[in-house]
Amino acid sequence: MGKEKVVILGAGAPYRGEEPSALMTISGKWRTLDWLVNAFSSVDGAQFHFVGGYQFEKVVASYPHFSLTLNSNWQHTGSMDSLLLTPISDADMVYVSYSDVIYRPGVVEALSREEGDVVVVV
């Protein structure tokens, strides 16, 4: 079996404000990416990979421990293009999330118990 990877797609500009969606503060001092890291805390050895574009350097400065990919064409491409830039293999267990959603660890725990080639949480 390969690695467990958490791919976070956050290349586009935010719907409101100037701050990248991944860095918006939600509930106190936690940013959106902090919520996602916390949600995936039950995934042993998870490697985080962020694909960004809009104000990419801010995310790089805030999360230097993430693997990072720049979608330099972010203004003209969508999420699928960003996902295809991510270095993953068929052997990897891959979790994919947008950077502008938050959820609690229980959602990830339930997801990790499901069996199937593709499992979606809505």
Side-chain angles (χ1 to χ4, degrees), residues 4-61:
E4 299 214 49
K5 292 189 176 182
V6 179
V7 176
I8 302 170
L9 305 174
Y15 289 108
R16 63 183 173 126
E18 298 293 321
E19 195 72 50
S21 298
L23 299 179
M24 288 188 175
T25 301
I26 308 291
S27 180
K29 295 181 180 179
W30 278 28
R31 296 170 290 190
T32 307
L33 278 180
D34 297 330
W35 278 88
L36 292 173
V37 169
N38 183 62
F40 284 96
S41 62
S42 65
V43 177
D44 289 333
Q47 297 177 352
F48 289 88
H49 191 94
F50 182 84
V51 182
Y54 174 81
Q55 295 187 11
F56 183 66
E57 66 284 348
K58 284 187 173 183
V59 177
V60 171

Side-chain angles (χ1 to χ4, degrees), residues 6 33 63 65 69 87-88 102-103 111:
V6 179
L33 278 180
Y63 293 87
H65 58 286
T69 297
I88 54 177
I102 60 171
Y103 33 88
L111 176 64

Side-chain angles (χ1 to χ4, degrees), residues 1 5 83 88-96 111-121:
M1 171 128 164
K5 292 189 176 182
L83 181 59
I88 54 177
S89 78
D90 290 342
D92 295 333
M93 168 68 73
V94 181
Y95 298 89
V96 179
L111 176 64
S112 68
R113 288 191 299 268
E114 294 297 320
E115 293 186 23
D117 291 336
V118 177
V119 179
V120 178
V121 175

Side-chain angles (χ1 to χ4, degrees), residues 54-85:
Y54 174 81
Q55 295 187 11
F56 183 66
E57 66 284 348
K58 284 187 173 183
V59 177
V60 171
S62 296
Y63 293 87
H65 58 286
F66 280 13
S67 293
L68 301 154
T69 297
L70 172 63
N71 178 348
S72 58
N73 201 23
W74 67 269
Q75 292 173 307
H76 306 290
T77 62
S79 301
M80 184 55 72
D81 290 288
S82 288
L83 181 59
L84 292 173
L85 293 172

